[in-house]
Amino acid sequence: GVTSFCPTMVSSSRQTYRRILPKMRIARKQQQEKHHVSNNNDRVGANILGMHLEGPFFAPSKRGAHDLQHIKGIASVEDVYGINKNEGDEVPQLEDIEIITLAPELPGAFDAIQSLTKPDSSTSSATNPHTIVISCGHTEATYKDGIQALSHGATLLTHLYNAMNSFHHRKPGLVGLLSSQAKLGTMGLKRPFFSMIVDGIHVHESAVSMAYQSHPHGCVLVTDAMTAMGLGDGDHMLGSMKVCIKGDRATLAGTDTLAGSVVSMDTCVKRFHQFTGCSIGEALLCATLHPAMVLKRHVAQQKRSEGGRLLDAPIGILEVKAKADFVMLNDELDVLGTWVG
């Protein structure tokens, strides 16, 4: 039931970023070319959007299943990811990146957030400056740190509750931002979107419901799925880390540390609907419109057309001139068919 997705990389070496990011750009370009070929019956699968780079700018204590040797403090994004515009298409470009998850409490994080979300027009294309969605995650951030991150341009929290400080009635942490509409409003800020892994393992059903009831319009369902999804029990790899799969649970081998998920999006939607008691329509919004809003792809990004097709047509919605992406479900939310426009 997935029509678009952001491929995600765990914290990696500079060499790995330089190798993988250009490959994903090539794959995305090839996919777009197939879409533009008339009467093309090749199955091209879900649309590949920009990359989600989860790391490596994390609090070491909240690294979860990420390899400690790759965790870094805030440094030059271009240097860490191997970005160099002067080397051509064979190396990563800033435009390859859609989302970066980082720990906002790290020294230099606020300046980095602002530079990535609000690029200086003097150094970016005046007609289409590339901006990156900054998400706060794998972090020891306090409530105040969260507000500062929002004020500098962050708009998302990565897999709420996991790899962040727990909510406490005197130290609410990032979770407290969900119920802070009044306070943030006085500061000219909006509550962040928040992603949740609703596999029944990462977050208890009562915590899922509590977060959703607090900020229903900000909820984004994610799978956090690793490459072992659908492969059954056994040992698999997540980056450089060995992971043990047993049922729906993925853990670092020899530990109880959760290492991503092996549950698909349709299962997450079903469980979310069950845990929150929301309507089917409300559950589907968390897997369609809300993630599109995070990426600002629910509206046309460019008003140009090519061969009768609108470039960067909206996704996550069903309306005229939006991409013809849609999923057919039955009343039990089983996927009957998936169409990718």
Side-chain angles (χ1 to χ4, degrees):
V2 174
T3 58
S4 298
F5 71 108
C6 291
T8 300
M9 287 184 67
V10 295
S11 299
S12 303
S13 67
R14 185 175 189 269
Q15 292 72 23
T16 300
Y17 289 122
R18 283 175 67 89
R19 178 170 56 88
I20 298 298
L21 289 175
K23 289 182 181 295
M24 294 307 301
R25 185 193 321 130
I26 293 170
R28 188 168 66 249
K29 182 178 180 179
Q30 291 174 340
Q31 185 184 63
Q32 291 170 346
E33 289 173 349
K34 285 186 177 181
H35 275 307
H36 282 277
V37 176
S38 60
N39 299 319
N40 178 41
N41 293 319
D42 290 344
R43 293 187 176 184
V44 295
N47 285 309
I48 301 171
L49 305 178
M51 295 291 292
H52 172 201
L53 302 185
E54 191 174 340
F57 311 115
F58 289 165
S61 64
K62 299 293 186 181
R63 68 184 184 277
H66 292 245
D67 194 335
L68 181 60
Q69 69 173 320
H70 297 312
I71 303 303
K72 299 180 180 296
I74 298 294
S76 165
V77 169
E78 287 80 2
D79 182 58
V80 170
Y81 296 139
I83 295 171
N84 189 332
K85 288 188 175 182
N86 296 325
E87 293 186 38
D89 293 337
E90 300 301 318
V91 300
Q93 305 295 332
L94 205 61
E95 290 75 15
D96 298 332
I97 307 169
E98 196 82 23
I99 306 169
I100 294 176
T101 291
L102 56 74
E105 76 278 9
L106 297 177
F110 299 141
D111 288 341
I113 292 170
Q114 183 163 318
S115 68
L116 292 168
T117 59
K118 306 168 185 177
D120 185 344
S121 60
S122 65
T123 59
S124 302
S125 168
T127 58
N128 186 29
H130 182 69
T131 60
I132 293 172
V133 174
I134 296 297
S135 187
C136 301
H138 289 272
T139 172
E140 294 183 342
T142 64
Y143 179 75
K144 288 184 178 180
D145 291 332
I147 292 177
Q148 281 282 82
L150 295 180
S151 69
H152 283 80
T155 54
L156 179 64
L157 306 180
T158 293
H159 46 54
L160 189 76
Y161 298 118
N162 294 108
M164 62 179 61
N165 292 331
S166 299
F167 179 86
H168 185 277
H169 59 285
R170 286 192 293 273
K171 295 180 179 179
L174 296 183
V175 179
L177 297 174
L178 273 58
S179 57
S180 297
Q181 183 175 14
K183 180 179 179 65
L184 294 174
T186 64
M187 306 170 70
L189 300 174
K190 295 180 179 180
R191 289 179 291 175
F193 288 93
F194 61 96
S195 64
M196 278 199 298
I197 310 167
V198 187
D199 58 358
I201 294 172
H202 278 80
V203 185
H204 191 275
E205 61 184 272
S206 65
V208 171
S209 182
M210 182 169 63
Y212 177 69
Q213 299 299 332
S214 179
H215 187 16
H217 300 299
C219 183
V220 174
L221 297 182
V222 295
T223 62
D224 204 44
M226 56 171 291
T227 52
M229 183 179 72
L231 298 183
D233 293 356
D235 292 334
H236 302 271
M237 298 300 294
L238 176 63
S240 59
M241 310 292 278
K242 182 180 287 187
V243 175
C244 178
I245 307 299
K246 188 174 182 179
D248 286 346
R249 182 180 293 269
T251 56
L252 288 181
T255 77
D256 293 326
T257 301
L258 293 175
S261 165
V262 288
V263 172
S264 58
M265 178 56 72
D266 57 334
T267 298
C268 289
V269 171
K270 290 178 183 179
R271 292 179 181 173
F272 181 79
H273 174 54
Q274 173 190 345
F275 293 169
T276 63
C278 69
S279 69
I280 289 178
E282 289 168 333
L284 293 176
L285 287 177
C286 298
T288 54
L289 177 61
H290 296 175
M293 291 174 67
V294 170
L295 304 177
K296 294 184 173 60
R297 290 176 178 263
H298 62 300
V299 294
Q301 295 179 320
Q302 300 178 31
K303 297 298 183 181
R304 297 182 292 115
S305 63
E306 182 180 271
R309 297 169 62 96
L310 184 69
L311 297 182
D312 295 318
I315 60 175
I317 57 174
L318 289 175
E319 65 177 32
V320 175
K321 293 189 177 180
K323 281 193 176 181
D325 298 340
F326 62 97
V327 180
M328 184 175 291
L329 307 163
N330 61 19
D331 290 341
E332 286 71 44
L333 294 177
D334 298 316
V335 176
L336 304 180
T338 305
W339 282 260
V340 179

